[in-house]
Amino acid sequence: MRLFIAVPIPPEIKTAVAELLAVLSRAGADVKWVRPENLHLTLSFLGERRIEDVSSIKTAVERSAREFAVFSLAFSRLGVFESWERPRVLWLGIERGANALGELAAGLDRRLARARIETAEKGRPFAAHLTLGRFRSRRHAERLRDAAASFAVPRSMEMPVASLILYESRLFPEGPSYTALAESELPTALGA
Ligand code: 2AM
């Protein structure tokens, strides 16, 4: 099974992002947009795992979640990996809360490593981002670049990081389907 660990996105943020995607898609760039119901903030991509590993992964997720109190994230701006000259992924960046999210991801990777679960991202620094779409080609990318540059992320695009979810990802021709296998809540205050 193909697994990853992510922070779920609240429904009101999914709705706001869906509206943003509707605007951005009018630029006509060759992008495969993420379905709003599939939006998530990946902390760790585990890739293909045996079912026997699931219980120790769940334990690592649960313990990592316990180490942080609920905190809030604010989205900042649109950007791309790798660059607008070689665009691969369009994302929504995170401003406030990015450091805490990085620490949460690092703690999670440490616990996974201790449980001898290697992550696919080994060596790559964690870059907090919400993937909005993946470029199929560069066609009309500059039109999307202009649309992205003129977009101001509203202040209301803020959300709590309240839980971690272990997802199974299944790939279909029409796109991936994610199933939550386990959810671990962050405490509202440490020591609670
Ligand atoms: P992304 O948001 O940067 O695209 C499920 O596939 C999630 O795992 C995606 O959101 C993706 O992050 C992340 N991921 C990280 N590394 C991956 C990889 N090598 N293959 C597929 N997904 C990966």
Side-chain angles (χ1 to χ4, degrees):
M1 54 207 317
R2 201 165 183 270
L3 303 176
F4 68 96
I5 298 154
V7 173
I9 305 292
E12 58 279 13
I13 298 288
K14 286 184 175 174
T15 304
V17 173
E19 286 164 13
L20 166 61
L21 296 188
V23 173
L24 295 174
S25 64
R26 277 185 230 139
D30 194 13
V31 171
K32 190 173 192 319
W33 300 100
V34 171
R35 286 207 309 269
E37 70 266 28
N38 276 350
L39 287 165
H40 59 268
L41 278 169
T42 305
L43 290 183
S44 193
F45 179 73
L46 302 176
E48 204 52 48
R49 296 289 149 176
R50 293 173 309 152
I51 193 144
E52 293 81 15
D53 287 339
V54 170
S55 107
S56 48
I57 295 171
K58 279 187 188 171
T59 307
V61 173
E62 205 177 286
R63 292 191 177 152
S64 307
R66 254 188 248 151
E67 287 173 352
F68 278 82
V70 174
F71 60 95
S72 90
L73 282 184
F75 292 99
S76 55
R77 65 185 182 95
L78 291 162
V80 290
F81 292 144
E82 201 168 305
S83 65
W84 280 105
E85 285 64 47
R86 290 172 62 95
R88 302 263 181 262
V89 167
L90 178 78
W91 45 253
L92 193 53
I94 291 157
E95 193 181 77
R96 187 156 41 78
N99 288 346
L101 197 67
E103 284 172 31
L104 187 56
L108 180 62
D109 280 349
R110 268 198 306 275
R111 290 218 180 258
L112 290 167
R114 247 183 267 157
R116 303 201 185 290
I117 308 288
E118 280 183 16
T119 64
E121 307 266 351
K122 246 186 148 187
R124 248 201 280 164
F126 176 76
H129 66 279
L130 182 66
T131 297
L132 301 182
R134 295 178 174 84
F135 289 83
R136 285 185 284 235
S137 77
R138 283 205 73 246
R139 192 163 53 89
H140 297 323
E142 53 297 322
R143 282 164 55 174
L144 182 56
R145 180 186 197 160
D146 293 344
S150 63
F151 175 76
V153 175
R155 278 182 185 280
S156 57
M157 287 196 75
E158 218 185 281
M159 59 167 264
V161 173
S163 73
L164 303 184
I165 296 188
L166 171 63
Y167 284 104
E168 176 178 9
S169 157
R170 284 171 304 149
L171 304 175
F172 297 100
E174 61 275 19
S177 164
Y178 303 141
T179 310
L181 301 182
E183 178 162 14
S184 301
E185 289 181 1
L186 274 62
T188 46
L190 283 187

